[in-house]
Amino acid sequence: MIRRTDLAIENKEMFEEGNGEGSQIPGVNVKAERYGDDVTVTRITIEDERGSAIMNKPQGRYITVEIKGGVNGSEEIKEMAARAVAAELTALIPFHHYLKVLVVGLGNEKVTPDSLGPHTVSKIRVTRHLFLHYEVEGDDDQANVSALNPGVMASTGMESGDLIYGAAEITDPEVILVIDSLAARSIERINTTIQITDTGISPGAGMGNHRKVLTSESMGRKVVAVGVPTVIDAGSMVLDSLADYLSDADRAEDYIQQAKLDMIVTPTDIDEVIHDFSEIIASAINIALHPGIYS
């Protein structure tokens, strides 16, 4: 049975389950760092084709920010997490006088588990109109930031990737920064984890609706993606929840696969998860892109 996940750190954990905890993955470099007592950052770099094949991910950087015990509405923890995410974003998108960024919120605002992108973008400081109004090319305090919520194909009749490509042609950003919902194999990841990657993203992947991929190759410019797992497939949830009670895990996996439990689930407090993590990610983006204002 394929344990579905969009998280590189969970692919790493699955490798360790089969090869022993702490096993070195060929072609993959892993480093961890703590931000205070509650936030841990794990940086996974897939360096070659061997690592890509084992991890089932494209080569590139995958940064996982984990909040111990979840946010639980704590403003102090949210600020610490935002600072950690901002630091990682700054490493991927270094600020400079002429920096232009298009921030894109993928997903459907009317479907709570899929609304992380639109909710986050609504909290971003957009500045492109100011640069146009004052006819300036750059600024020492803030980046030239534009934003887009492309919606979903069922509502617009258009591929998100095509809309984003068109917006990038208009705004000419150096970087496209995409926010989307993801899928995890562990229910505990849904209120504790943020993933950042420079390898791009497939819109709707978290909700099982794979569309045209957003990568540096397809967009013609750097793409950085930030995601939070908001859903888990039913089979993975059952196996994860009962792992300590199953006498024959392989038999259980076979049964679930034959039963074709082709559905995804989300926790009852998903509205709080979206609220907290959209604030964390928006704050981090504002800090990284507008250091003279928010740092």
Side-chain angles (χ1 to χ4, degrees):
M1 175 180 172
I2 297 175
R3 303 293 296 276
R4 175 183 167 193
T5 179
D6 293 317
L7 303 177
I9 196 166
E10 290 192 329
N11 286 4
K12 167 184 169 292
E13 290 167 351
M14 284 188 278
F15 176 86
E16 291 178 340
E17 288 170 8
N19 296 272
E21 186 173 352
S23 299
Q24 179 65 41
I25 305 174
V28 177
N29 183 273
V30 181
K31 293 182 179 179
E33 180 180 348
R34 295 192 69 87
Y35 285 77
D37 296 329
D38 299 304
V39 179
T40 302
V41 174
T42 303
R43 304 182 187 95
I44 298 174
T45 305
I46 301 177
E47 299 173 334
D48 57 31
E49 293 181 359
R50 292 179 305 161
S52 178
I54 293 170
M55 291 285 286
N56 195 30
K57 295 283 185 186
Q59 294 180 44
R61 289 178 283 185
Y62 299 83
I63 301 150
T64 306
V65 179
E66 296 178 272
I67 304 168
K68 182 179 178 182
V71 177
N72 297 320
S74 169
E75 294 301 321
E76 182 179 351
I77 292 177
K78 283 200 284 187
E79 182 177 354
M80 178 67 72
R83 293 286 173 181
V85 174
E88 301 305 320
L89 285 175
T90 299
L92 294 177
I93 311 173
F95 179 82
H96 58 85
H97 183 80
Y98 298 105
L99 179 62
K100 288 184 180 180
V101 178
L102 170 61
V103 182
V104 178
L106 296 176
N108 188 341
E109 192 170 6
K110 297 178 181 179
V111 179
T112 304
D114 196 30
S115 65
L116 176 71
H119 279 287
T120 302
V121 166
S122 70
K123 302 176 177 74
I124 299 297
R125 178 180 172 84
V126 174
T127 58
R128 180 174 180 267
H129 58 296
L130 300 176
F131 284 78
L132 293 175
H133 178 77
Y134 291 105
E135 298 181 343
V136 294
E137 294 294 323
D139 191 274
D140 289 334
D141 295 323
Q142 58 189 339
N144 183 328
V145 175
S146 48
L148 175 68
N149 285 329
V152 294
M153 193 172 188
S155 299
T156 67
M158 293 176 280
E159 282 274 6
S160 296
D162 292 334
L163 293 172
I164 296 165
Y165 187 88
E169 288 290 291
I170 294 169
T171 60
D172 191 29
E174 177 182 331
V175 181
I176 300 175
L177 178 55
V178 183
I179 304 104
D180 197 11
S181 300
L182 306 176
R185 74 161 185 154
S186 170
I187 197 71
E188 293 180 357
R189 296 281 185 192
I190 290 181
N191 64 348
T192 63
T193 306
I194 300 168
Q195 177 174 269
I196 308 164
T197 178
D198 63 359
T199 62
I201 196 167
S202 175
M207 301 299 290
N209 301 317
H210 294 269
R211 312 303 311 179
K212 184 180 294 185
V213 296
L214 307 178
T215 62
S216 298
E217 291 74 21
S218 66
M219 292 291 111
R221 58 202 80 223
K222 185 173 184 177
V223 176
V224 173
V226 181
V228 172
T230 61
V231 297
I232 180 172
D233 74 80
S236 293
M237 184 188 71
V238 171
L239 292 172
D240 184 57
S241 301
L242 300 179
D244 294 334
Y245 303 96
L246 294 173
S247 58
D248 190 339
D250 291 336
R251 185 178 177 186
E253 285 197 21
D254 289 342
Y255 171 78
I256 289 173
Q257 190 167 14
Q258 292 172 12
K260 296 182 179 179
L261 298 177
D262 188 18
M263 67 180 90
I264 56 175
V265 294
T266 194
T268 56
D269 65 344
I270 190 61
D271 54 338
E272 296 177 16
V273 172
I274 295 297
H275 173 77
D276 287 339
F277 281 86
S278 64
E279 286 194 344
I280 290 170
I281 296 170
S283 178
I285 292 172
N286 285 331
I287 292 170
L289 301 186
H290 308 307
I293 298 173
Y294 292 96
S295 62

